[in-house]
Amino acid sequence: MNLTFDHVTLGQRVLFGSGRAADNLADEVARLGARRVMVVASRSETRVAQAVTTHIDVAVFHDDVAPHVPIANAESARAVAADNAIDLLVCIGGGSTTGLAKAVALTTGLPIVAVPTTYAGSEATNVWGLTEAARKTTGVDDRVLPVTVIYDAHLTLSLPVALSVASGLNGMAHCIDSMWAPRTDPINRALAAEGIRALAEGLPLIKSDPQDASGREQALYGAYLSAVAFASAGSGLHHKICHVLGGAYDLPHAQTHATVLPYVLAFNAPAAPEAERRIAAAFGTGTAVAGLDALRTALAAPRALRDYGFDETRIPEAVELILPVVPDSNPRQVSATDLESLLRAAHAGVTPEP
């Protein structure tokens, strides 16, 4: 192992406690001295948002949230923040909600307190994404990193099992991509491995008993670790593929990640033996591919991109969009033929092959 590396640990406060979200949020608003709070939460999260904000004064609730953060939604939210003289953003929800708050912070510099209700992990990264004209653009900026994350497993109890599985596998994708992403190092590989272990433990507990808080806690813990590793390591092949698919074809974020992940793992694993061994060890299985496949089978995970509206005739176009953004650091050379084979397999849901 090469122990010559540069590593940056992002500065962020994390408050973790089941049933403590409302109290922890009130404490953070007071600590930050905020007087004009804008709460970003989708309409479906209205009840949760109202419960979490019981102990604070809210200047405005904003619920115009959409997947992949369309630029029009971002500009609208920025205008609301300006019109209401907001000094703190509180986002309560999944990755799309966090992404919208980040879009506001990107241009305003406003601090964010994130209260996740899924296992997306966006709350622990300084990565932002915006979609315009069917193309998703991502970037890195420390202004979008939430200053505080408040984790409360009770807020995820109502998350349906199927969405919990997809969201958790999205977190798993952060972990696996971090093993060979452009800036990977031993520290984020270690975090990613522990994230894989926690998610592999927590997600089956959620499936067997959705009201089991211990499974939800493990999933949140794993999702946080996955995001910290990803924020440091950068975006690997898997995320480049999924960002194109989500932005260009409006595919659902978590389900797309959950579906594509086994194909990228099967493609890269033979060329990255050290990473493969660490992933396998985290799963407690003989190989990384076998570990992920066993977990996905146990969870009845998403299987095929065609199930989410991806038209097979768009594959050649998708290949053209993905190929220029494939990281040079990927452990295996990636050709247009490789990408087409991978996408066709993921579209059909056939067994991944190296």
Side-chain angles (χ1 to χ4, degrees):
M1 179 186 296
N2 180 9
L3 287 181
T4 301
F5 60 88
D6 293 330
H7 178 86
V8 176
T9 298
L10 299 175
Q12 185 179 62
R13 182 177 174 88
V14 176
L15 301 175
F16 204 111
S18 295
R20 293 192 48 80
D23 289 336
N24 282 337
L25 178 58
D27 289 345
E28 280 304 284
V29 170
R31 184 181 73 86
L32 294 167
R35 297 183 179 278
R36 301 285 298 172
V37 177
M38 174 175 170
V39 174
V40 180
S42 69
R43 292 179 183 87
S44 63
E45 297 281 12
T46 297
R47 183 185 60 79
V48 172
Q50 289 175 341
V52 171
T53 57
T54 300
H55 305 326
I56 67 170
D57 293 327
V58 177
V60 61
F61 284 90
H62 185 76
D63 63 9
D64 189 16
V65 177
H68 307 295
V69 195
I71 189 67
N73 295 66
E75 291 174 348
S76 173
R78 291 164 180 167
V80 170
D83 291 346
N84 288 275
I86 297 303
D87 59 8
L88 176 67
L89 302 166
V90 173
C91 55
I92 302 170
S96 297
T97 301
T98 306
L100 183 59
K102 286 182 172 185
V104 177
L106 182 65
T107 58
T108 65
L110 288 171
I112 303 171
V113 172
V115 186
T117 61
T118 70
Y119 313 115
S122 175
E123 67 278 357
T125 79
N126 57 353
V127 179
W128 57 267
L130 291 167
T131 302
E132 184 173 14
R135 296 292 181 267
K136 186 169 186 177
T137 301
T138 61
V140 175
D141 193 309
D142 287 348
R143 287 178 297 178
V144 309
L145 177 73
V147 296
T148 305
V149 184
I150 296 172
Y151 288 108
D152 183 341
H154 288 177
L155 302 184
T156 70
L157 290 175
S158 62
L159 190 67
V161 169
L163 189 52
S164 297
V165 166
S167 182
L169 289 174
N170 180 18
M172 184 74 72
H174 285 112
C175 293
I176 290 175
D177 229 15
S178 294
M179 292 291 184
W180 42 58
R183 300 187 304 276
T184 192
D185 63 46
I187 295 173
N188 44 55
R189 287 193 191 109
L191 293 171
E194 172 64 1
I196 291 170
R197 184 210 61 77
L199 287 163
E201 177 182 325
L203 292 176
L205 292 176
I206 293 171
K207 182 168 175 57
S208 64
D209 181 2
Q211 299 305 302
D212 177 10
S214 64
R216 301 282 185 177
E217 286 179 341
Q218 282 295 309
L220 278 177
Y221 167 61
Y224 171 71
L225 291 175
S226 77
V228 172
F230 177 73
S232 174
S235 184
L237 176 63
H238 170 87
H239 279 78
K240 296 301 186 183
I241 291 171
C242 291
H243 286 162
V244 167
L245 295 178
Y249 310 109
D250 197 28
L251 301 187
H253 184 83
Q255 291 86 344
T256 300
H257 280 271
T259 302
V260 170
L261 180 60
Y263 300 95
V264 176
L265 177 60
F267 180 81
N268 272 346
E274 180 186 327
E276 194 279 335
R277 286 192 295 270
R278 297 195 71 156
I279 296 168
F283 279 123
T285 53
T287 69
V289 170
L292 181 59
D293 184 62
L295 178 65
R296 285 168 47 79
T297 299
L299 297 175
R303 286 281 169 184
L305 290 176
R306 65 185 178 191
D307 295 337
Y308 301 101
F310 184 48
D311 187 339
E312 188 175 15
T313 64
R314 308 302 292 273
I315 288 177
E317 177 189 52
V319 168
E320 290 183 8
L321 294 172
I322 295 166
L323 196 58
V325 296
V326 171
D328 293 336
S329 63
N330 196 64
R332 181 174 170 183
Q333 286 289 111
V334 182
S335 68
T337 301
D338 293 329
L339 285 175
E340 180 160 349
S341 296
L342 187 155
L343 289 177
R344 290 196 184 281
H347 176 270
V350 301
T351 302
E353 294 182 3

